[in-house]
Amino acid sequence: MSSLPPLALYIHVPWCVRKCPYCDFNSHTLSGALPETAYIDALLADLDAEMINVQGRPLTSIFIGGGTPSLISGAGYQRLLAGIEARLTLDPDIEITLEANPGTFERERFAGFRRAGINRLSVGVQSFDNDALARLGRIHDADEAVRAIATAREVGFDELNIDLMHGLPGQSMATAMADIDQALSLSPTHLSWYQLTLEPNTAFYSHPPTLPEEDVLADIQDAGQARLEAAGFQRYEISAWSRSGHEARHNLNYWRFGDYLGIGAGAHGKISRPGEEGLVIERRWKTRQPETYLARHDDPRGFLAGHRRLSRDERGLEFLMNALRLSDGVPRALWHQHTGLDELRLDAHTEAAIARELMFETHSRIQATPLGLLFLNDLLALCDDSVLARS
């Protein structure tokens, strides 16, 4: 199994109390009682159908996202994680992350998550400014966010991520920096700090709010980066900052082009397997509608909505789309290990970007230059065009 990438597990919980106007994830407003027992049964049946893709590998991490995963009880997660452990080998120091909404926090609920074995919490704050939260459609206010994070600490979550957005409607430099300062005062080990974008199929895309001008956005990015670095946080990925040794292992697996099983309504997975010409890499995705997903419990094969094998060029480009997001890049050896492609194909993808000084030319690492990180979309377009021109 040494020739296959590490394996993680993504679990999707599709319900929310209310759909946010900027959200393009597979999330659905909950009406009525949460079908917790039935959904956990379906998740485990879905996992049973995915077991053929494990190929003897232990799980390095589990990430539970949504939606609002903190709607499910601690007892529910205890049953789910016990079911996973009965089916799979877990790394002794496995990272198990839960996304939590401050609007759903209760002390006993958070304590239940910790008792279930969840050891990393990612709290979706987005902003500590009440006016901004109202414009974003969030169901919590700033005080609830502060109390939720304090409670998470009190019940034993040593690994704590705060999700923050910037470039919000009406946001100034002062309010953006106030958000960072408030987050830092709560002593997280990790910050996800990313710019609001208007995605298709969202309310904000249909009715766009007025966002800060480009020069203001650039100033906020520069000032925020300086503020976080001064506080001892390292930018290890485009939108991810952490104290040393507290990087999100699950997300690092994505960015290093590792494998992951995806279970739950709308979940996506990436699986590698040996093939005649090296690795075969497949993308897999599950049916999106929660009601349809639950109805397919009796036929586990019915959870799968589609799958697609990546071509050689797609394998190379997708690897680079992930790896080049990392500030330090990845070891060059991962190219062959995680794509099955040879060095000549890597050179074909990267030579134009290296010539434009958007990537470093090195025999040991695949890494964007500071300029490449600043213009990542342009860098990736060059990596794509350079191969298509040779096809």
Side-chain angles (χ1 to χ4, degrees):
M1 291 304 126
S2 60
S3 62
L4 294 178
L7 182 68
L9 172 64
Y10 175 74
I11 302 168
H12 193 75
V13 178
W15 294 283
C16 283
V17 175
R18 183 171 66 205
K19 180 85 170 179
C20 295
Y22 59 84
C23 178
D24 68 335
F25 296 149
N26 184 41
S27 59
H28 305 262
T29 300
L30 181 65
S31 58
L34 182 77
E36 178 175 301
T37 299
Y39 194 65
I40 291 171
D41 288 343
L43 288 172
L44 292 173
D46 192 355
L47 181 58
D48 285 336
E50 288 285 336
M51 290 299 293
I52 191 173
N53 296 312
V54 174
Q55 301 179 80
R57 291 172 289 179
L59 286 185
T60 59
S61 64
I62 298 171
F63 192 99
I64 307 165
T68 304
S70 50
L71 289 172
I72 289 181
S73 69
Y77 281 121
Q78 194 161 16
R79 185 166 77 89
L80 175 60
L81 292 173
I84 293 168
E85 191 168 8
R87 291 163 170 80
L88 293 162
T89 301
L90 310 185
D91 270 2
D93 63 344
I94 188 170
E95 175 191 87
I96 305 177
T97 304
L98 176 76
E99 288 185 336
N101 187 321
T104 63
F105 99 93
E106 300 162 358
R107 182 183 182 85
E108 181 51 35
R109 177 175 290 271
F110 276 29
F113 298 153
R114 190 68 190 90
R115 287 195 299 269
I118 294 163
N119 54 24
R120 189 173 183 274
L121 207 63
S122 182
V123 184
V125 173
Q126 315 311 352
S127 176
F128 291 97
D129 180 274
N130 284 332
D131 289 339
L133 289 169
R135 287 191 287 268
L136 292 172
R138 302 297 289 174
I139 65 171
H140 67 275
D141 62 23
D143 287 343
E144 285 176 308
V146 171
R147 291 199 304 272
I149 293 165
T151 299
R153 282 273 185 234
E154 291 166 4
V155 301
F157 282 101
D158 297 324
E159 294 293 340
L160 184 64
N161 174 63
I162 295 177
D163 254 2
L164 279 183
M165 293 196 296
H166 61 91
L168 307 179
Q171 190 174 56
S172 65
M173 171 69 76
T175 55
M177 293 306 100
D179 273 349
I180 289 180
D181 289 342
Q182 177 67 80
L184 291 173
S185 75
L186 298 169
S187 300
T189 53
H190 190 285
L191 274 170
S192 299
W193 188 57
Y194 49 94
Q195 184 178 317
L196 172 65
T197 55
L198 305 184
E199 301 291 350
N201 302 315
T202 66
F204 271 3
Y205 192 83
S206 302
H207 305 283
T210 301
L211 302 180
E213 299 290 337
E214 287 295 327
D215 58 344
V216 175
L217 292 173
D219 289 344
I220 288 173
Q221 179 70 48
D222 290 344
Q225 179 166 336
R227 191 75 55 99
L228 290 166
E229 288 175 350
F233 279 76
Q234 301 168 347
R235 184 190 192 190
Y236 70 97
E237 189 269 344
I238 289 290
S239 303
W241 303 75
S242 75
R243 298 198 180 279
S244 180
H246 296 276
E247 298 84 357
R249 276 182 272 160
H250 187 85
N251 288 341
L252 280 174
N253 186 58
Y254 289 152
W255 297 322
R256 291 168 177 162
F257 212 49
D259 279 358
Y260 52 97
L261 307 173
I263 62 173
H268 284 240
K270 170 192 168 282
I271 293 300
S272 305
R273 61 178 65 91
E276 292 181 2
E277 299 180 0
L279 288 181
V280 172
I281 299 178
E282 181 182 86
R283 294 286 186 186
R284 299 165 61 81
W285 56 95
K286 303 301 171 63
T287 187
R288 290 175 56 86
Q289 291 297 324
E291 296 80 6
T292 306
Y293 182 86
L294 285 167
R296 294 182 176 178
H297 180 200
D298 292 334
D299 179 13
R301 293 170 300 175
F303 293 125
L304 187 66
H307 59 97
R308 187 174 66 85
R309 181 180 295 190
L310 300 185
S311 68
R312 289 185 300 167
D313 284 344
E314 287 172 327
R315 274 184 273 163
L317 185 60
E318 287 199 18
F319 177 95
L320 293 170
M321 286 174 64
N322 286 278
L324 291 174
R325 293 181 63 90
L326 292 168
S327 300
D328 292 336
V330 299
R332 191 176 175 93
L334 284 190
W335 169 263
H336 178 69
Q337 292 171 15
H338 289 189
T339 68
L341 301 174
D342 60 31
E343 296 277 323
L344 290 176
R345 200 154 198 91
L346 173 59
D347 294 337
H349 272 287
T350 61
E351 64 179 356
I354 291 171
R356 300 280 186 91
E357 298 185 346
L358 298 178
M359 284 183 66
F360 289 112
E361 185 169 16
T362 169
H363 296 296
S364 60
R365 299 195 70 77
I366 300 169
Q367 184 180 359
T369 63
L371 184 65
L373 287 172
L374 191 60
F375 295 101
L376 185 61
N377 288 338
D378 296 325
L379 165 55
L380 294 172
L382 282 174
C383 291
D384 192 12
D385 290 345
S386 64
V387 171
L388 292 178
R390 294 168 179 268
S391 298

